[in-house]
Amino acid sequence: MRQDSLRQREQRTGWWLVAPALLFLILIYAYPIARSIGLSLFSQNLGTELQPVFTGLSNYSRMAVDGRFWQSLGNTTLFTVLSVLLELLLGLGIALVLNRSFRGRGVVRTIALLPWALPTALIATTWTWIFNDQFGVWNDLLLRLGLIQTGVNWLGDPNWALWTVIAADVWKTTPFIAILLLAGLQSIPADLYEAHAIDGATAWQSFWQITLPLLLPQILIASLFRFAQAFGIFDLIQVMTGGGPGGATETVSIYIYATIMRYLDFGYGAALVVVTFVILSLAVALAAWGLTRLRAAHNLGDSR
Amino acid sequence: MAKLSLRNLNKTFAPQVVPLKDLSLEVEDGEFLTLLGPSGCGKSTTLRLIAGLEQPTQGEIWIGDRDVTQQPPGDRNIAMVFQSYALYPHMSVYDNMASGLRLKRMPATEIHHRIDEVSQFLGLDGLMQRKPGQLSGGQRQRVALARALVRRPDVFLLDEPLSNLDALLREQVRAELKQIFADQPTPIVYVTHDQTEAMTLSTRVAVLNEGLLQQLDSPKRIYTRPANRFVASFIGSPQMNLLSLPCQGEYALLGRYKVPLPQPIRLPEVVLGIRPEHLRLARPGETLALALQGQVMLVENLGMSDLLSIQIENTPYWLRALLSPDQSWADRQISLMLPSESLHWFDPQTGDRLF
Ligand SMILES: Nc1ncnc2c1ncn2[C@@H]1O[C@H](COP(=O)(O)OP(=O)(O)OP(=O)(O)O)[C@@H](O)[C@H]1O
Ligand SMILES: [Mg+2]
C-alpha cells in the first residue's frame, strides 16, 4: 500500500519533470506534422492565388497518377537500398581490418573517420569535380587505363548520374558504419574465436557462426540509421545534380522542395510530405521491431 | 589412446617476456596432470601452446605419435575449458555442445546421442534450450565442461575452470570433476593456482615458476618432499617456516639450540624448513634441553586450529605453529619440539633440497 502511493508520487514528479521536454517535442515535431496533414487536404497554389481551398483527398489522388512522383520514389528507393547495402559491405570490411591490431591502427582509424566529419556540401562539390567530363580525375584515370576512349559526362548521363551520387554518399558514410561495427566487433570476446578454432572451425566458419550473429544488432542499428538518412537525402544530390539530368536523380525530398519552393504548390507539397513521412515511419517501426525481436532472441544481454 | 608429450618448449613473446623457458613433460593416458604456480608463471601459456592458440618459439608437442607442433588448433583433436567458459552467447546450450561436432560433420543422430548422454550425466537435461545468459555460474561451468566432454578428444585442457565459482560451489564441483575425469581414458592437463585443487584432483602435479619446471611429482610427494625452496614455500597453507641458519658440520644453530643435520655438510649456512602443522608442544617428560623456548607474539584463530607466531628466545627467529585451540595461547611462554622426520633442508644458494 505505502509503496504504491510512493510510486504514484514518484510518477507524478516524473511527469512534471518531463513536461517541458514533452512540450518542446510537441511544438517541434507534432505540430508541423499535424499542420502538414491538415494542409494536404487543401489546394493552396498559384491557381488558387495562394489561398487555401478545401479539396479533400484530391491531392492524394493526383499523386497516384503523378509519374514524376513515382519516378522520384523509385529513385529514392534505389538510392537508399544500394547505398546502404554498399556502405554495410564496405563498412564491415573496414571494421574487420581495423579490428586486427597492427602498427598505426589509431592513425588509420582517425583518417578513416574524416569523410564523415566533412560537410556534405563540400564533399558534393568535390565529387562533382571528380566526375567532371573534361577535368575530372575519374575520367582521367579511366582514360589512362584505356578503359574508355573519350571522357564520359557522368553527371549528365541519365544512366550514370544516380551512380555518381551513390558513390559520393558511400564514400562519405562508410566510415560511420565502419566505426559503429568496429565497436560491435570489439565487444566480441577473443576466447569465443579461440574455442571455435579448437573445435575445428576455419576463419570463414567463425565469421558466419560467431561474428555475424553477434554483430547483427549493430548491423541492424546502422542500417536503421542509414535508411532513415538516405531516404530523406537532399543536400548531396541538390549540390551534385539538382535532381537532374531529366529527373534521373530526383529523390522525393528534392521533388517536394521543388513543388513547394519553385511551383509554390503548398497543398500538394504537404501531401507529398505526409506520404513520405508514413513510408519512413513504417520502415523504421519495422526495423525497430526486428531489433527488439533479435534482442529477445539473444536474451537478456550478455552472459559473460 | 594417446599420450601427450611436451619437448623443450619455449615461448618468447619479447626478449624480456619469456613466460616459458624450457619445459619438457609427458602426460600418460588417463593421467590428471595439474600445472600449478603463481600468477604469471606461464601456466596459461603452456596450455595455449598445447591447444595451438600460440606457436612455440622452440620445442615440440606430440600427441601419441603425431607431431602437432605445426598443426592448427582444429586438427589436434583437443578440447579446452576456458576460465571464462567462452560459451557462444547467441546459441542455446544444445547448440553450444553441438557446435564442435557439427564442424566435424558428424551425423545429427550421433550428435544427439552424445549430447543426451553427457547432459544426463551432468544434469543439464532441462536446460538444453536456454541461452548461456539465462544460466547460473555453476550451470555455465557445467555446460562448458559438457561441451568439452561430447567432443571425446585426445587431450583435455582446463584453464582454471573453477575460479569463477564461489567457495562452496567450487568444493562441490571439484569433487564432481574428480569423478568425471577419473573415467576419461585421455591425458588431462589442468591449470590452477589453487593448491587444494591441485592436491585433490591430480595424479601428478607440475609446479612451475618463472617458466621453469620446479618439480613434477605426485601431490603427496610434492607436499612431503618439496624439491626446492620455492616449492616448499609455495605448497602448503599456512606457509612452511624457512629459516636461514648458520651451520657447524653436523649441526645447524638456532640460537643456542643445535638442530642435528641428517648428514654432515660443508656449507656456512643452511635453510631449515618445517611446516607449521608439524611443530608440536614439548611433552612434560621430554628433555627441555632439546625443546625451543619461545614467546607467543600473535595468535590467529583459523577455526580448527590456532596459528601462533612465536619468537624463539634470545634469537631474531620467528616460527609459526598450528596448535589446537583448546587453550588460550596469548602471551605465553611455550616449548616447541622439531620432529626430525618433518624437517626439510635446503641449500641457501641454489635453493635445492639437500636431504
Ligand atoms: N600475448 C602475449 N604477449 C606478451 N606477453 C604475454 C602474452 N601472453 C602472456 N604473456 C606474458 O607471459 C607471462 C605468463 O602468462 P600466463 O598467462 O601464462 O600466466 P599464468 O601462469 O596463466 O598466470 P595466471 O595464474 O595469472 O593466469 C605473463 O608475464 C604475461 O604477461
Ligand atoms: Mg592463466
Side-chain angles (χ1 to χ4, degrees), chain A residues 92-218:
Chain A
L92 182 58
I94 293 174
L96 286 171
V97 170
L98 287 181
N99 196 31
R100 309 217 67 118
S101 54
F102 55 87
R103 200 188 264 270
R105 179 167 73 163
V107 179
V108 175
R109 198 153 46 186
T110 312
I111 292 175
L113 198 56
L114 272 182
W116 175 249
L118 294 174
T120 309
L122 206 79
I123 291 174
T125 314
T126 312
W127 280 92
T128 310
W129 277 107
I130 289 175
F131 284 122
N132 184 284
D133 52 340
Q134 289 176 45
F135 311 110
V137 174
W138 182 237
N139 268 341
D140 188 47
L141 205 72
L142 294 181
L143 282 169
R144 277 167 200 256
L145 290 174
L147 292 173
I148 52 173
Q149 303 310 316
T150 53
V152 176
N153 187 0
W154 301 101
L155 291 158
D157 184 334
N159 294 321
W160 287 115
L162 192 63
W163 288 101
T164 61
V165 284
I166 288 177
D169 191 65
V170 168
W171 184 82
K172 174 182 162 53
T173 327
T174 301
F176 168 72
I177 296 206
I179 295 297
L180 214 111
L181 296 186
L182 179 62
L185 283 178
Q186 283 173 341
S187 71
I188 304 178
D191 55 12
L192 294 187
Y193 293 102
E194 293 178 346
H196 212 223
I198 291 177
D199 275 351
T202 59
W204 189 241
Q205 283 169 323
S206 289
F207 175 76
W208 286 102
Q209 295 173 17
I210 301 212
T211 309
L212 263 194
L214 290 179
L215 203 57
L216 211 52
Q218 277 82 8

Side-chain angles (χ1 to χ4, degrees), chain A residues 63-81:
Chain A
M63 205 183 302
V65 293
D66 181 358
R68 191 166 163 191
F69 165 69
W70 290 108
Q71 194 197 356
S72 68
L73 193 63
N75 284 341
T76 311
T77 311
L78 203 64
F79 173 83
T80 305
V81 170

Side-chain angles (χ1 to χ4, degrees), chain B residues 43-44 83 159-160 191:
Chain B
K43 307 181 295 288
S44 297
Q83 180 175 358
D159 193 351
E160 308 203 21
V191 161

Side-chain angles (χ1 to χ4, degrees), chain B residues 296-354:
Chain B
V296 178
M297 306 301 279
L298 181 70
V299 181
E300 291 162 85
N301 180 0
L302 302 184
M304 26 180 215
S305 44
D306 279 348
L307 178 60
L308 277 51
S309 299
I310 300 149
Q311 180 164 29
I312 307 302
E313 210 175 53
N314 304 325
T315 70
Y317 299 114
W318 289 63
L319 282 175
R320 300 210 300 166
L322 275 180
L323 294 176
S324 111
D326 53 6
Q327 37 188 315
S328 137
W329 299 106
D331 301 325
R332 271 181 49 188
Q333 187 79 22
I334 58 174
S335 319
L336 287 173
M337 295 298 290
L338 300 177
S340 61
E341 69 278 8
S342 308
L343 299 184
H344 309 266
W345 299 97
F346 303 101
D347 185 318
Q349 240 74 57
T350 63
D352 287 340
R353 184 180 189 90
L354 292 169

Side-chain angles (χ1 to χ4, degrees), chain A residues 191-202 205 209-210 213-214 296-304, chain B residues 48 51 53 73-74 78 80 82 84 86-91 99-100 103-104 131-134 140 147 151:
Chain A
D191 55 12
L192 294 187
Y193 293 102
E194 293 178 346
H196 212 223
I198 291 177
D199 275 351
T202 59
Q205 283 169 323
Q209 295 173 17
I210 301 212
L214 290 179
H298 267 231
N299 85 69
L300 321 167
D302 281 0
S303 58
R304 292 158 267 125
Chain B
R48 293 171 61 80
L53 298 172
I78 279 175
M80 179 156 167
F82 289 74
S84 59
L87 299 176
Y88 311 126
H90 56 298
M91 296 185 197
S99 162
L103 286 168
K104 295 204 180 323
K131 299 277 170 63
Q134 301 165 315
R140 269 178 229 160
R147 187 171 70 179
R151 289 267 318 278

